[in-house]
Amino acid sequence: MNGTRAFRVAATGARVVTGVAVAVACVVGVVAAIHAPWPSVRHDPAQVEVTPLPGDTVLVCNGDLRALGRDSSAPLDMRSAASPRLTQAGTSGTPATRTLEAPDLIDAGDVRVLTGTVDGRSAPMLAAAESVSIAEEDLAGFAALACGEPRLESWLVGGSVGTGTEDIVILTNAGEVPTTVTLSVFGTTRSSRTVVVPAGTQTALPLTSIAAGNEAPVVKVDAVGAPVRAVLQSSVVQVLDPAGIDLQDAVAGAQQNVVLVGVQAFPVEGDEADMTVVRLLAPDADAQARIVARASGSGTTATEFTVPLTAGAPADVSLSGLEPGTYTVEVDADAPVVAAVRQQDGSGLDSDFAWVTPAPEIDADVLIAVPDGPTPQLQIANTADEESTVSLEPVDGGESQQIVVPAGESVSVDLESDTTYRMRPTGTVHAAVTMTAAAALAVLPVLPGAGAEQAITVYP
């Protein structure tokens, strides 16, 4: 009897222990289920990477050098002062050429538009540049400018409305529809003007007509209807003597890191404060801009300082103290900025000046058209942390050069004028063509080629 009772107690105890264990397991399971991810139904959308077919490459050239005020009875009339020499080449054969009208220019020459035709899935590479020399009573000097792609937005960073200057904003519409261009001036005073440029035409207006009273103007160019090519032609007369000309291409947009390649400092007598000057603008927000100038060939820092910028207010900063030579100037800011450097080789008769605009990153093959002009050199800057090698060869045949550019340094390579080269970099570099002689200065930044189209993801 006692054995039977003991058996029943043991069995009951076992059932209780088992029940408690099951209950605990259920609680643990519920708690774990609360914190564990619940099953979900997932469906990834169908997608495919597609590389678009490249389009034709279109470059717009600037055309004739313009002169203002040669007719005292019509001081605002513009006349052709000189026609440029053109250098061009492309990978798809001789580019097709058409010309545009310049109805506001008396005795106008050709304003050329060059088109490289696409071949299958290969994007055509095309390069062209113009150069002009003049020695007249009102205009003297040398200028060169690459033919470029039109844009819906761009910036003219240089220019002056001071005594003796005669700057002209040139707008070219190579499209098939009219474009409405708004020119917004940043300076001590703000102003704007709207200009309609008909399809297939070039027009121009004096900078003083939109920027009077601004010592260091910067002009934003916004186009609606068709992209426009904006160029700033500048000239100076000092004590009745012509003292240089320049053609400055528009800058694509503001960025926090700007690299200016091919900046030159020249030996001068007396005050050198205005010989090499950086113009800066932070369009949207206050900024601190750090400026560093490094000597070509060594990478040695020649000067370094920080400039506070007020949003919307351009500033001119002197690079005085630089030893004669060639430099790469880097601008690093904590907000997007636009920048350019004005350099000049003297003052008065037999002098010249040139604006140096940013040289963007080059990480793929590009064609470089070197126009007719004095002692051209290719300046290559490597701002990366690793060594880069650049291959350079004339497109019409000739010996290829292999140029090693150490990290943080710049090198110079002699070129032939009126020749087009193909440049192949490993890594990323910045480059510009400089042309230098007595009373003859020009700097042409190397711009990325059309290149192959980038793949895009398509969701059916």
Side-chain angles (χ1 to χ4, degrees), residues 151 153-155 157 250-258 283 336-339 358:
R151 301 186 181 103
E153 177 184 316
S154 56
W155 296 79
V157 184
V251 176
Q255 52 189 345
Q256 288 184 248
N257 177 259
V258 178
V337 299
V338 292

Side-chain angles (χ1 to χ4, degrees), residues 37-83:
W38 288 88
S40 61
V41 177
R42 179 178 176 181
H43 175 69
D44 291 330
Q47 55 183 285
V48 62
E49 280 199 349
V50 176
T51 301
L53 288 174
D56 294 345
T57 299
V58 178
L59 297 181
V60 179
C61 302
N62 189 64
D64 287 5
L65 192 73
R66 293 171 175 249
L68 265 172
R70 286 188 167 178
D71 184 350
S72 58
S73 63
L76 295 182
D77 282 356
M78 297 190 192
R79 295 180 176 272
S80 172
S83 295

Side-chain angles (χ1 to χ4, degrees), residues 60-65 83-88 110-114 127-133 142-148 202 229 231 247 369-373 435 442 444:
V60 179
C61 302
N62 189 64
D64 287 5
L65 192 73
S83 295
R85 303 174 294 276
L86 177 68
T87 298
Q88 61 176 326
D110 291 337
V111 179
R112 301 178 181 90
V113 178
L114 310 176
E130 296 176 314
S131 62
V132 60
S133 295
F142 172 80
L145 181 70
C147 301
Q202 181 185 85
R229 175 85 192 282
V231 171
L247 292 168
V370 181
D372 189 17
M435 311 189 82
L444 295 77

Side-chain angles (χ1 to χ4, degrees), residues 189-263:
T189 60
R190 295 285 297 273
S191 61
S192 65
R193 179 172 173 179
T194 299
V195 179
V196 176
V197 185
T201 65
Q202 181 185 85
T203 190
L205 65 160
L207 183 62
T208 53
S209 67
I210 60 171
N214 291 295
E215 292 299 322
V218 173
V219 181
K220 184 182 181 186
V221 182
D222 289 300
V224 177
V228 69
R229 175 85 192 282
V231 171
L232 183 65
Q233 176 186 312
S234 301
S235 62
V236 175
V237 173
Q238 296 175 332
V239 196
L240 303 180
D241 292 325
I245 60 172
D246 185 57
L247 292 168
Q248 182 195 140
D249 203 355
V251 176
Q255 52 189 345
Q256 288 184 248
N257 177 259
V258 178
V259 180
L260 302 127
V261 181
V263 175

